[in-house]
Amino acid sequence: MLLAPFTLTETATRTRRMARTETRLVPLWLQIWAIGGILASVLFPSLRGGDMTGMSLPFWLVAAPLINIAWLVRSRGLLQLRSLLKRRSHTRRSRRIR
């Protein structure tokens, strides 16, 4: 049962756009986790894994935050790739015409 009308107000669409752009950014805590994990792995060789820890600790210090960052920015990367391919195809077409 719907009680609200289907019309969207300007503030609702503006809020939706702002929320969409904020979710595309990588959170600060995730950036700190990735940088801290990389620095810890570089500065303390015992954290790089060994017989006792295996590769679990390096995964959680370095790989996990980088995977999360890649997942969060995937749509932005796809958009950039599409625009690059579109520009390349446009320049190729203009060369053929000449």
Side-chain angles (χ1 to χ4, degrees):
M1 186 167 164
L2 294 173
L3 299 176
F6 283 103
T7 59
L8 294 176
T9 61
E10 186 177 334
T11 57
T13 55
R14 190 179 313 142
T15 305
R16 188 180 305 140
R17 281 188 212 133
M18 288 173 51
R20 193 177 297 161
T21 57
E22 288 176 7
T23 58
R24 289 184 184 164
L25 300 175
V26 177
L28 181 63
W29 64 268
L30 188 56
Q31 294 175 3
I32 292 171
W33 179 14
I35 292 169
I38 291 169
L39 286 175
S41 297
V42 168
L43 295 176
F44 303 106
S46 60
L47 295 177
R48 295 182 195 154
D51 296 336
M52 295 295 287
T53 59
M55 291 305 290
S56 178
L57 194 58
F59 172 79
W60 289 110
L61 287 175
V62 179
L66 293 179
I67 291 170
N68 289 336
I69 290 171
W71 183 257
L72 289 173
V73 298
R74 72 188 185 280
S75 61
R76 189 182 322 165
L78 289 174
L79 290 174
Q80 290 175 351
L81 180 63
R82 285 181 189 157
S83 65
L84 176 69
L85 292 174
K86 191 178 280 189
R87 276 187 272 153
R88 284 188 89 195
S89 67
H90 181 66
T91 56
R92 286 183 182 174
R93 287 183 199 152
S94 63
R95 288 180 189 167
R96 289 180 191 167
I97 294 172
R98 290 181 190 175

